[in-house]
């Protein structure tokens, strides 16, 4: 009996030692949560907010319960917002994801009055950085909403780091600074969600077809979208198509953000963090999912002239007038391409600009094209000036956008 008692005491002592060892290891892991680690193949920027709701204890069970609850939430009902009285001001913040190599001096130089939240995706020591460098801009957009959910500005503008890019509006010189300056806060408040890019191609009216089994280099995310959709929006049927203008730059009203529970944003960021999908694919899936999250519509393609007029004060008078303007731009572009071809042909033949004075067919055509380009440039500039002047009047904007 004495031997048995000693054996029981030995086992109990060993169990206590193992228990204390486990608790000590757990405390060590918890104390290091939030410190930056660099893995062998990818950077992990861990912080507690990636795994728990702000203001809560962040326990595994509590976090999982909140995420499960968020995953089963259905899409909210969205209603048009009510703009402030005429002449009122709006608080605005611009959220920008960047790499260390990106030059973003244009933000402070061109937009000194805009509160800019700049996150450096690949620098864990930056003042603002995401919990993990994955999902392209998605991780950063969601992180801003999560971290500022209880103190959001009236208008949130989510933009990329480059000032001039095809992601921006052609009629505003592809200039991100000009887009932000001209963005109409009343329009964003009314719509709730506004894609910052007005021209439809690429992305509208339909872009991704989740049921398509064939892989495409242009749309690599399409074949995995079905499974991803069931994870992101489990209570909503898979749409036949998804579409909005590219390229993951948009504006939101505070009311539209708050129409969705904080737990859902945490769930979506957790999905980005944990999904085995690559950085590129997980980000691309969201490029054509934002409109569903914030409007409940799988296809969100406002008429281009309404987007330009309501969103940026560039009002051509209606759809037909806008189409005329686009046709003039198309014609000018065709003439420019032809003159470029003539230039290349002369260069290949050893010709010089002096030959343009000769009376050959190519020279005559070249002179004609340049003359037409000058005429079209003047016409386009005049129509743009008139459109900008028309857009200064709220009554004109309301009439063209159908909100009177």
């Amino acid at each position: 009996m004495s031997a048995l008692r000693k054996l029981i005491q030995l086992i109990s002592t060993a169990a206590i030692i193992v228990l204390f060892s486990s608790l000590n290891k757990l405390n060590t892991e918890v104390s290091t949560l939030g410190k930056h680690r660099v893995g062998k193949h990818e950077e992990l920027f861990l912080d507690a907010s990636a795994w728990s709701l702000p203001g809560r204890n962040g326990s595994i069970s509590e976090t999982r319960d909140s995420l499960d609850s968020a995953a089963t939430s259905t899409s909210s009902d969205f209603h048009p917002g009510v703009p402030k009285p005429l002449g009122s001001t709006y608080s605005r913040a611009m959220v920008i994801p960047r790499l260390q190599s990106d030059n973003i001096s244009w933000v402070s130089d061109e937009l000194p009055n805009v509160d800019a939240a700049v996150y450096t995706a690949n620098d864990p020591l930056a003042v603002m950085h995401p919990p993990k460098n994955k999902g392209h801009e998605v991780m950063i957009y969601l992180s801003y909403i999560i971290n500022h959910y209880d103190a959001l500005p009236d208008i949130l503008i989510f933009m990329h780091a480059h000032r001039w890019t095809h992601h921006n509006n052609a009629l505003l010189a592809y200039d991100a600074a000009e887009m932000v300056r001209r963005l109409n806060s009343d329009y964003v408040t009314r719509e709730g969600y506004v894609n910052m890019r007005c021209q439809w191609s690429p992305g509208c009216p339909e872009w991704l077809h989740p049921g398509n089994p064939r892989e495409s280099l242009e749309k690599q995310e399409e074949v995995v979208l079905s499974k991803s959709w069931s994870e992101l929006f489990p209570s909503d049927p898979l749409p036949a198509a998804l579409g909005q203008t590219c390229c993951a730059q948009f504006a939101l009203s505070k009311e539209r953000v708050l129409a969705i529970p904080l737990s859902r944003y945490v769930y979506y960021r957790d999905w980005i963090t944990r999904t085995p999908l690559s950085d590129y694919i997980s980000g691309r899936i969201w490029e054509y999912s934002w409109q569903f999250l914030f409007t409940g519509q799988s296809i969100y393609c406002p008429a281009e002239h309404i987007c330009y007029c309501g969103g940026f004060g560039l009002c051509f008078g209606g759809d037909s007038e806008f189409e005329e303007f686009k046709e003039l731009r198309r014609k000018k572009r065709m003439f420019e391409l032809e003159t470029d071809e003539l230039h290349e042909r002369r260069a290949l033949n050893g010709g010089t600009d002096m030959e343009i004075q000769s009376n050959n067919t190519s020279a005559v055509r070249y002179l004609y094209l340049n003359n037409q380009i000058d005429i079209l440039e003047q016409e386009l500039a005049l129509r743009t000036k008139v459109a900008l002047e028309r857009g200064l009047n709220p009554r004109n904007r309301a009439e063209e956008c159908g909100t009177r």
Side-chain angles (χ1 to χ4, degrees):
M1 181 65 70
S2 176
L4 179 60
R5 185 178 294 111
K6 288 183 178 179
L7 178 61
I8 293 174
Q9 290 176 344
L10 182 61
I11 293 174
S12 300
T13 302
I16 292 172
I17 292 172
V18 171
L19 176 60
F20 275 105
S21 176
S22 298
L23 289 174
N24 183 60
K25 180 180 179 182
L26 178 60
N27 288 333
T28 301
E29 290 177 349
V30 170
S31 67
T32 59
L33 188 63
K35 294 184 178 180
H36 311 301
R37 295 188 299 154
V38 179
K40 184 176 181 180
H41 299 294
E42 66 175 345
E43 293 170 318
L44 298 179
F45 307 152
L46 300 179
D47 84 28
S49 65
W51 316 104
S52 62
L53 293 172
R56 305 184 69 180
N57 64 33
S59 68
I60 294 175
S61 60
E62 183 182 63
T63 301
R64 178 50 54 195
D65 289 343
S66 67
L67 297 183
D68 289 343
S69 174
T72 57
S73 300
T74 56
S75 297
S76 303
D77 292 327
F78 300 119
H79 306 283
V82 179
K84 294 183 179 183
L86 192 63
S88 300
T89 58
Y90 290 82
S91 57
R92 309 206 310 178
M94 182 166 61
V95 182
I96 301 178
R98 64 166 297 195
L99 299 176
Q100 288 177 292
S101 57
D102 290 330
N103 182 355
I104 58 166
S105 60
W106 64 270
V107 177
S108 57
D109 292 343
E110 299 293 330
L111 303 167
N113 298 322
V114 176
D115 183 19
V118 181
Y119 287 74
T120 305
N122 61 344
D123 182 6
L125 300 180
V127 175
M128 301 184 74
H129 64 270
K132 185 177 182 180
N133 183 15
K134 186 180 179 185
H136 286 202
E137 68 280 331
V138 183
M139 177 70 71
I140 288 169
Y141 289 179
L142 292 173
S143 292
Y144 179 87
I145 292 174
I146 292 167
N147 295 335
H148 297 82
Y149 191 83
D150 294 325
L152 293 170
D154 296 323
I155 304 295
L156 297 85
I157 308 169
F158 298 89
M159 298 287 287
H160 294 167
H162 301 106
R163 180 178 179 184
W164 287 286
T165 169
H166 72 280
H167 294 178
N168 298 334
N169 283 318
L171 302 191
L172 294 174
Y174 300 100
D175 185 352
E178 184 67 7
M179 288 167 60
V180 173
R181 276 194 294 264
R182 300 198 62 83
L183 180 66
N184 188 333
S185 295
D186 287 344
Y187 183 74
V188 177
T189 300
R190 184 181 298 109
E191 296 295 317
Y193 171 84
V194 173
N195 193 314
M196 293 291 286
R197 192 174 190 269
C198 293
Q199 54 265 29
W200 275 20
S201 179
C204 282
E206 296 181 2
W207 184 249
L208 297 179
H209 297 84
N212 185 3
R214 293 178 298 179
E215 293 188 6
S216 166
L217 286 177
E218 188 179 26
K219 306 174 184 180
Q220 297 177 43
E221 68 275 24
E222 198 168 45
V223 294
V224 298
L225 190 54
S226 297
K227 183 177 185 300
S228 299
W229 187 270
S230 66
E231 294 172 349
L232 294 170
F233 308 104
S235 299
D236 299 289
L238 181 68
L242 290 168
Q244 70 167 334
T245 58
C246 85
C247 304
Q249 297 188 129
F250 53 87
L252 291 167
S253 68
K254 176 173 68 175
E255 289 73 20
R256 185 56 56 90
V257 175
L258 296 178
I260 298 171
L262 174 60
S263 57
R264 288 187 67 190
Y265 297 115
V266 175
Y267 175 80
Y268 295 139
R269 188 171 69 172
D270 185 73
W271 181 86
I272 286 285
T273 303
R274 298 175 184 273
T275 179
L277 297 175
S278 69
D279 168 51
Y280 174 76
I281 296 298
S282 60
R284 290 281 295 181
I285 284 174
W286 272 97
E287 182 172 345
Y288 294 97
S289 298
W290 292 116
Q291 81 282 4
F292 184 81
L293 175 62
F294 290 116
T295 72
Q297 303 174 41
S298 58
I299 296 177
Y300 176 82
C301 296
E304 291 183 30
H305 75 97
I306 290 178
C307 175
Y308 272 116
C309 181
F312 304 96
L314 197 59
C315 303
F316 291 88
D319 183 53
S320 60
E321 292 84 356
F322 182 71
E323 290 301 319
E324 288 178 6
F325 182 86
K326 284 176 60 179
E327 177 59 24
L328 292 176
R329 292 187 79 248
R330 187 196 66 81
K331 185 179 294 186
K332 174 175 173 286
R333 182 56 181 155
M334 293 300 294
F335 287 164
E336 288 172 338
L337 290 174
E338 189 174 349
T339 58
D340 290 344
E341 184 179 344
L342 289 173
H343 259 303
E344 292 176 4
R345 192 182 305 167
R346 288 204 314 278
L348 289 174
N349 293 332
T352 66
D353 287 341
M354 294 299 295
E355 291 181 9
I356 206 64
Q357 303 298 328
S358 64
N359 194 27
N360 61 59
T361 303
S362 296
V364 172
R365 180 63 179 171
Y366 184 85
L367 290 171
Y368 168 79
L369 291 173
N370 275 278
N371 182 58
Q372 290 300 305
I373 290 172
D374 290 340
I375 293 173
L376 288 171
E377 282 182 345
Q378 295 176 27
E379 179 66 19
L380 288 167
L382 176 61
R383 294 196 184 204
T384 300
K385 179 182 177 182
V386 172
L388 290 171
E389 292 174 350
R390 186 184 290 113
L392 294 175
N393 189 326
R395 188 181 299 273
N396 292 337
R397 296 198 303 267
E399 183 175 355
E400 187 160 343
C401 296
T403 55
R404 292 188 62 178

